[in-house]
mmCIF file of all heavy atoms in Angstrom:
data_model
loop_
_atom_site.group_PDB
_atom_site.id
_atom_site.type_symbol
_atom_site.label_atom_id
_atom_site.label_comp_id
_atom_site.label_asym_id
_atom_site.label_seq_id
_atom_site.Cartn_x
_atom_site.Cartn_y
_atom_site.Cartn_z
ATOM 1 N N SER Z 168 -3.432 -1.527 24.383
ATOM 2 C CA SER Z 168 -4.287 -2.363 23.642
ATOM 3 C C SER Z 168 -4.290 -3.808 24.104
ATOM 4 O O SER Z 168 -5.382 -4.436 24.229
ATOM 5 C CB SER Z 168 -4.057 -2.247 22.102
ATOM 6 O OG SER Z 168 -4.147 -0.912 21.701
ATOM 7 N N ILE Z 169 -3.144 -4.372 24.014
ATOM 8 C CA ILE Z 169 -2.991 -5.837 24.302
ATOM 9 C C ILE Z 169 -3.460 -5.966 25.904
ATOM 10 O O ILE Z 169 -4.165 -6.927 26.242
ATOM 11 C CB ILE Z 169 -1.543 -6.295 24.276
ATOM 12 C CG1 ILE Z 169 -1.062 -6.177 22.840
ATOM 13 C CG2 ILE Z 169 -1.315 -7.743 24.990
ATOM 14 C CD1 ILE Z 169 -1.579 -7.383 21.906
ATOM 15 N N LEU Z 170 -3.037 -4.981 26.844
ATOM 16 C CA LEU Z 170 -3.530 -5.062 28.239
ATOM 17 C C LEU Z 170 -5.016 -5.015 28.282
ATOM 18 O O LEU Z 170 -5.709 -5.695 29.034
ATOM 19 C CB LEU Z 170 -2.849 -3.926 28.978
ATOM 20 C CG LEU Z 170 -2.547 -4.118 30.364
ATOM 21 C CD1 LEU Z 170 -1.615 -5.243 30.578
ATOM 22 C CD2 LEU Z 170 -2.017 -2.818 30.993
ATOM 23 N N TYR Z 171 -5.634 -4.105 27.511
ATOM 24 C CA TYR Z 171 -7.093 -3.872 27.545
ATOM 25 C C TYR Z 171 -7.688 -5.310 27.064
ATOM 26 O O TYR Z 171 -8.756 -5.545 27.553
ATOM 27 C CB TYR Z 171 -7.521 -2.810 26.724
ATOM 28 C CG TYR Z 171 -9.058 -2.542 26.741
ATOM 29 C CD1 TYR Z 171 -9.611 -2.248 27.935
ATOM 30 C CD2 TYR Z 171 -9.763 -3.006 25.731
ATOM 31 C CE1 TYR Z 171 -10.975 -2.222 28.027
ATOM 32 C CE2 TYR Z 171 -11.189 -3.093 25.780
ATOM 33 C CZ TYR Z 171 -11.795 -2.584 26.848
ATOM 34 O OH TYR Z 171 -13.209 -2.621 27.039
ATOM 35 N N PHE Z 172 -7.091 -5.818 26.010
ATOM 36 C CA PHE Z 172 -7.677 -6.993 25.390
ATOM 37 C C PHE Z 172 -7.728 -8.111 26.493
ATOM 38 O O PHE Z 172 -8.732 -8.912 26.605
ATOM 39 C CB PHE Z 172 -6.819 -7.426 24.233
ATOM 40 C CG PHE Z 172 -7.253 -8.922 23.744
ATOM 41 C CD1 PHE Z 172 -8.451 -9.207 23.103
ATOM 42 C CD2 PHE Z 172 -6.389 -9.900 23.851
ATOM 43 C CE1 PHE Z 172 -8.847 -10.292 22.831
ATOM 44 C CE2 PHE Z 172 -6.791 -11.202 23.593
ATOM 45 C CZ PHE Z 172 -7.980 -11.376 22.919
ATOM 46 N N ILE Z 173 -6.592 -8.275 27.251
ATOM 47 C CA ILE Z 173 -6.545 -9.276 28.232
ATOM 48 C C ILE Z 173 -7.504 -9.004 29.408
ATOM 49 O O ILE Z 173 -8.384 -9.817 29.677
ATOM 50 C CB ILE Z 173 -5.145 -9.415 28.842
ATOM 51 C CG1 ILE Z 173 -4.268 -9.873 27.641
ATOM 52 C CG2 ILE Z 173 -5.063 -10.343 30.069
ATOM 53 C CD1 ILE Z 173 -2.805 -9.826 28.047
ATOM 54 N N LEU Z 174 -7.521 -7.688 29.838
ATOM 55 C CA LEU Z 174 -8.425 -7.359 30.957
ATOM 56 C C LEU Z 174 -9.915 -7.273 30.446
ATOM 57 O O LEU Z 174 -10.858 -7.429 31.355
ATOM 58 C CB LEU Z 174 -8.121 -5.964 31.509
ATOM 59 C CG LEU Z 174 -6.729 -5.925 32.228
ATOM 60 C CD1 LEU Z 174 -6.286 -4.551 32.607
ATOM 61 C CD2 LEU Z 174 -6.625 -6.824 33.388
ATOM 62 N N GLY Z 175 -10.142 -6.945 29.250
ATOM 63 C CA GLY Z 175 -11.540 -6.784 28.632
ATOM 64 C C GLY Z 175 -12.380 -7.922 28.872
ATOM 65 O O GLY Z 175 -13.558 -7.838 28.914
ATOM 66 N N TYR Z 176 -11.795 -9.158 28.994
ATOM 67 C CA TYR Z 176 -12.649 -10.384 29.080
ATOM 68 C C TYR Z 176 -13.013 -10.540 30.606
ATOM 69 O O TYR Z 176 -14.019 -11.106 30.838
ATOM 70 C CB TYR Z 176 -11.721 -11.585 28.708
ATOM 71 C CG TYR Z 176 -11.754 -11.852 27.293
ATOM 72 C CD1 TYR Z 176 -10.767 -11.462 26.462
ATOM 73 C CD2 TYR Z 176 -12.789 -12.583 26.879
ATOM 74 C CE1 TYR Z 176 -10.736 -11.723 25.099
ATOM 75 C CE2 TYR Z 176 -12.927 -12.912 25.447
ATOM 76 C CZ TYR Z 176 -11.860 -12.485 24.584
ATOM 77 O OH TYR Z 176 -11.892 -12.802 23.272
ATOM 78 N N TRP Z 177 -12.225 -9.829 31.500
ATOM 79 C CA TRP Z 177 -12.571 -10.017 33.008
ATOM 80 C C TRP Z 177 -13.141 -8.900 33.610
ATOM 81 O O TRP Z 177 -13.591 -8.933 34.868
ATOM 82 C CB TRP Z 177 -11.167 -10.466 33.690
ATOM 83 C CG TRP Z 177 -10.398 -11.522 32.906
ATOM 84 C CD1 TRP Z 177 -9.186 -11.321 32.337
ATOM 85 C CD2 TRP Z 177 -10.797 -12.837 32.604
ATOM 86 N NE1 TRP Z 177 -8.770 -12.413 31.682
ATOM 87 C CE2 TRP Z 177 -9.746 -13.440 31.866
ATOM 88 C CE3 TRP Z 177 -11.737 -13.661 32.947
ATOM 89 C CZ2 TRP Z 177 -9.764 -14.711 31.401
ATOM 90 C CZ3 TRP Z 177 -11.906 -14.924 32.549
ATOM 91 C CH2 TRP Z 177 -10.882 -15.516 31.716
ATOM 92 N N ILE Z 178 -13.244 -7.726 32.790
ATOM 93 C CA ILE Z 178 -13.560 -6.551 33.462
ATOM 94 C C ILE Z 178 -14.935 -6.597 34.064
ATOM 95 O O ILE Z 178 -15.185 -6.141 35.265
ATOM 96 C CB ILE Z 178 -13.415 -5.357 32.458
ATOM 97 C CG1 ILE Z 178 -13.143 -4.157 33.286
ATOM 98 C CG2 ILE Z 178 -14.533 -5.185 31.513
ATOM 99 C CD1 ILE Z 178 -12.393 -3.048 32.413
ATOM 100 N N GLY Z 179 -16.054 -7.217 33.399
ATOM 101 C CA GLY Z 179 -17.418 -7.340 33.891
ATOM 102 C C GLY Z 179 -17.399 -8.048 35.091
ATOM 103 O O GLY Z 179 -17.924 -7.591 36.112
ATOM 104 N N LYS Z 180 -16.798 -9.199 35.111
ATOM 105 C CA LYS Z 180 -16.890 -10.093 36.269
ATOM 106 C C LYS Z 180 -16.097 -9.612 37.447
ATOM 107 O O LYS Z 180 -16.683 -9.472 38.472
ATOM 108 C CB LYS Z 180 -16.287 -11.457 35.903
ATOM 109 C CG LYS Z 180 -16.542 -12.518 36.938
ATOM 110 C CD LYS Z 180 -16.071 -13.941 36.488
ATOM 111 C CE LYS Z 180 -16.272 -14.930 37.486
ATOM 112 N NZ LYS Z 180 -16.167 -14.550 38.904
ATOM 113 N N ALA Z 181 -14.858 -9.012 37.154
ATOM 114 C CA ALA Z 181 -14.131 -8.397 38.313
ATOM 115 C C ALA Z 181 -14.860 -7.313 38.913
ATOM 116 O O ALA Z 181 -14.845 -7.095 40.121
ATOM 117 C CB ALA Z 181 -12.846 -7.931 37.641
ATOM 118 N N ILE Z 182 -15.473 -6.340 38.052
ATOM 119 C CA ILE Z 182 -16.238 -5.293 38.748
ATOM 120 C C ILE Z 182 -17.465 -5.740 39.592
ATOM 121 O O ILE Z 182 -17.659 -5.216 40.643
ATOM 122 C CB ILE Z 182 -16.629 -4.291 37.520
ATOM 123 C CG1 ILE Z 182 -15.378 -3.561 37.110
ATOM 124 C CG2 ILE Z 182 -17.747 -3.199 38.127
ATOM 125 C CD1 ILE Z 182 -15.512 -2.475 35.870
ATOM 126 N N SER Z 183 -18.301 -6.700 38.937
ATOM 127 C CA SER Z 183 -19.409 -7.151 39.616
ATOM 128 C C SER Z 183 -18.959 -7.744 41.001
ATOM 129 O O SER Z 183 -19.669 -7.629 41.988
ATOM 130 C CB SER Z 183 -20.201 -7.953 38.935
ATOM 131 O OG SER Z 183 -19.475 -9.010 38.357
ATOM 132 N N ASP Z 184 -17.891 -8.475 41.038
ATOM 133 C CA ASP Z 184 -17.328 -9.133 42.224
ATOM 134 C C ASP Z 184 -16.844 -7.919 43.239
ATOM 135 O O ASP Z 184 -17.185 -8.059 44.434
ATOM 136 C CB ASP Z 184 -16.054 -9.988 41.966
ATOM 137 C CG ASP Z 184 -16.483 -11.288 41.324
ATOM 138 O OD1 ASP Z 184 -17.661 -11.516 41.318
ATOM 139 O OD2 ASP Z 184 -15.619 -11.948 40.819
ATOM 140 N N ALA Z 185 -16.212 -6.927 42.697
ATOM 141 C CA ALA Z 185 -15.630 -5.855 43.574
ATOM 142 C C ALA Z 185 -16.734 -5.022 44.175
ATOM 143 O O ALA Z 185 -16.605 -4.478 45.254
ATOM 144 C CB ALA Z 185 -14.736 -4.931 42.782
ATOM 145 N N LEU Z 186 -17.975 -4.873 43.433
ATOM 146 C CA LEU Z 186 -19.099 -4.067 43.885
ATOM 147 C C LEU Z 186 -19.609 -4.492 45.224
ATOM 148 O O LEU Z 186 -20.111 -3.658 46.045
ATOM 149 C CB LEU Z 186 -20.211 -4.080 42.807
ATOM 150 C CG LEU Z 186 -20.000 -3.149 41.607
ATOM 151 C CD1 LEU Z 186 -21.093 -3.417 40.641
ATOM 152 C CD2 LEU Z 186 -19.918 -1.808 42.002
ATOM 153 N N ASP Z 187 -19.515 -5.814 45.508
ATOM 154 C CA ASP Z 187 -20.052 -6.309 46.833
ATOM 155 C C ASP Z 187 -19.237 -5.792 47.959
ATOM 156 O O ASP Z 187 -19.761 -5.713 49.103
ATOM 157 C CB ASP Z 187 -19.966 -7.797 46.769
ATOM 158 C CG ASP Z 187 -20.808 -8.429 45.585
ATOM 159 O OD1 ASP Z 187 -21.831 -7.674 45.363
ATOM 160 O OD2 ASP Z 187 -20.395 -9.515 45.203
ATOM 161 N N ASN Z 188 -18.052 -5.421 47.804
ATOM 162 C CA ASN Z 188 -17.120 -5.000 48.848
ATOM 163 C C ASN Z 188 -16.654 -3.609 48.859
ATOM 164 O O ASN Z 188 -15.456 -3.391 49.239
ATOM 165 C CB ASN Z 188 -15.947 -6.085 49.052
ATOM 166 C CG ASN Z 188 -16.303 -7.436 48.836
ATOM 167 O OD1 ASN Z 188 -17.225 -7.770 49.810
ATOM 168 N ND2 ASN Z 188 -15.927 -8.249 48.058
ATOM 169 N N CYS Z 189 -17.275 -2.802 48.345
ATOM 170 C CA CYS Z 189 -16.757 -1.308 48.271
ATOM 171 C C CYS Z 189 -17.895 -0.293 48.594
ATOM 172 O O CYS Z 189 -19.014 -0.631 48.705
ATOM 173 C CB CYS Z 189 -16.187 -1.047 46.968
ATOM 174 S SG CYS Z 189 -17.376 -1.053 45.578
ATOM 175 N N GLY Z 190 -17.340 0.942 48.884
ATOM 176 C CA GLY Z 190 -18.272 1.969 49.285
ATOM 177 C C GLY Z 190 -19.040 2.550 48.144
ATOM 178 O O GLY Z 190 -18.810 2.128 46.912
ATOM 179 N N ALA Z 191 -19.942 3.380 48.515
ATOM 180 C CA ALA Z 191 -20.827 4.019 47.434
ATOM 181 C C ALA Z 191 -20.232 4.789 46.329
ATOM 182 O O ALA Z 191 -20.509 4.560 45.145
ATOM 183 C CB ALA Z 191 -21.928 4.878 48.148
ATOM 184 N N PHE Z 192 -19.173 5.534 46.720
ATOM 185 C CA PHE Z 192 -18.476 6.329 45.724
ATOM 186 C C PHE Z 192 -17.630 5.504 44.810
ATOM 187 O O PHE Z 192 -17.753 5.697 43.538
ATOM 188 C CB PHE Z 192 -17.552 7.364 46.358
ATOM 189 C CG PHE Z 192 -16.777 8.268 45.399
ATOM 190 C CD1 PHE Z 192 -17.519 9.155 44.659
ATOM 191 C CD2 PHE Z 192 -15.462 8.242 45.337
ATOM 192 C CE1 PHE Z 192 -16.825 9.953 43.656
ATOM 193 C CE2 PHE Z 192 -14.700 8.891 44.342
ATOM 194 C CZ PHE Z 192 -15.466 9.930 43.529
ATOM 195 N N LEU Z 193 -16.839 4.482 45.272
ATOM 196 C CA LEU Z 193 -16.047 3.570 44.504
ATOM 197 C C LEU Z 193 -17.004 2.708 43.702
ATOM 198 O O LEU Z 193 -16.687 2.458 42.536
ATOM 199 C CB LEU Z 193 -15.222 2.775 45.422
ATOM 200 C CG LEU Z 193 -14.127 1.886 44.752
ATOM 201 C CD1 LEU Z 193 -13.244 2.849 44.026
ATOM 202 C CD2 LEU Z 193 -13.444 1.064 45.710
ATOM 203 N N ALA Z 194 -18.181 2.341 44.270
ATOM 204 C CA ALA Z 194 -19.140 1.539 43.375
ATOM 205 C C ALA Z 194 -19.566 2.347 42.254
ATOM 206 O O ALA Z 194 -19.636 1.790 41.152
ATOM 207 C CB ALA Z 194 -20.266 1.216 44.318
ATOM 208 N N TRP Z 195 -19.999 3.588 42.431
ATOM 209 C CA TRP Z 195 -20.303 4.468 41.307
ATOM 210 C C TRP Z 195 -19.245 4.621 40.263
ATOM 211 O O TRP Z 195 -19.523 4.523 39.045
ATOM 212 C CB TRP Z 195 -20.615 5.958 41.936
ATOM 213 C CG TRP Z 195 -21.076 6.855 40.851
ATOM 214 C CD1 TRP Z 195 -22.389 6.978 40.290
ATOM 215 C CD2 TRP Z 195 -20.275 7.821 40.069
ATOM 216 N NE1 TRP Z 195 -22.448 7.918 39.379
ATOM 217 C CE2 TRP Z 195 -21.117 8.448 39.224
ATOM 218 C CE3 TRP Z 195 -18.895 8.130 40.203
ATOM 219 C CZ2 TRP Z 195 -20.778 9.336 38.433
ATOM 220 C CZ3 TRP Z 195 -18.430 9.284 39.349
ATOM 221 C CH2 TRP Z 195 -19.368 9.713 38.397
ATOM 222 N N ILE Z 196 -17.861 4.781 40.674
ATOM 223 C CA ILE Z 196 -16.905 4.785 39.647
ATOM 224 C C ILE Z 196 -16.812 3.482 38.936
ATOM 225 O O ILE Z 196 -16.723 3.371 37.784
ATOM 226 C CB ILE Z 196 -15.534 5.086 40.434
ATOM 227 C CG1 ILE Z 196 -15.586 6.582 41.004
ATOM 228 C CG2 ILE Z 196 -14.343 4.974 39.528
ATOM 229 C CD1 ILE Z 196 -14.329 6.935 41.803
ATOM 230 N N LEU Z 197 -16.944 2.335 39.695
ATOM 231 C CA LEU Z 197 -16.697 1.090 39.046
ATOM 232 C C LEU Z 197 -17.828 0.818 38.081
ATOM 233 O O LEU Z 197 -17.638 0.265 36.988
ATOM 234 C CB LEU Z 197 -16.737 -0.159 40.107
ATOM 235 C CG LEU Z 197 -15.263 -0.076 40.862
ATOM 236 C CD1 LEU Z 197 -15.496 -1.157 42.094
ATOM 237 C CD2 LEU Z 197 -14.105 -0.386 40.016
ATOM 238 N N ARG Z 198 -18.957 1.272 38.498
ATOM 239 C CA ARG Z 198 -20.164 1.019 37.691
ATOM 240 C C ARG Z 198 -20.048 1.773 36.312
ATOM 241 O O ARG Z 198 -20.393 1.379 35.246
ATOM 242 C CB ARG Z 198 -21.493 1.604 38.341
ATOM 243 C CG ARG Z 198 -22.147 0.302 39.072
ATOM 244 C CD ARG Z 198 -23.579 0.511 39.416
ATOM 245 N NE ARG Z 198 -23.941 -0.435 40.587
ATOM 246 C CZ ARG Z 198 -23.976 -0.048 41.803
ATOM 247 N NH1 ARG Z 198 -23.737 1.081 42.122
ATOM 248 N NH2 ARG Z 198 -24.271 -0.943 42.650
ATOM 249 N N SER Z 199 -19.511 2.995 36.550
ATOM 250 C CA SER Z 199 -19.273 3.982 35.355
ATOM 251 C C SER Z 199 -18.252 3.151 34.396
ATOM 252 O O SER Z 199 -18.518 3.162 33.117
ATOM 253 C CB SER Z 199 -18.689 5.253 35.704
ATOM 254 O OG SER Z 199 -19.543 6.004 36.726
#
Side-chain angles (χ1 to χ4, degrees):
Chain Z
S168 303
I169 296 280
L170 209 62
Y171 179 71
F172 169 69
I173 295 165
L174 296 177
Y176 274 97
W177 314 112
I178 208 158
K180 191 177 181 318
I182 288 176
S183 54
D184 288 349
L186 282 173
D187 299 334
N188 306 308
C189 64
F192 180 67
L193 190 60
W195 180 81
I196 291 174
L197 288 176
R198 273 200 195 94
S199 304

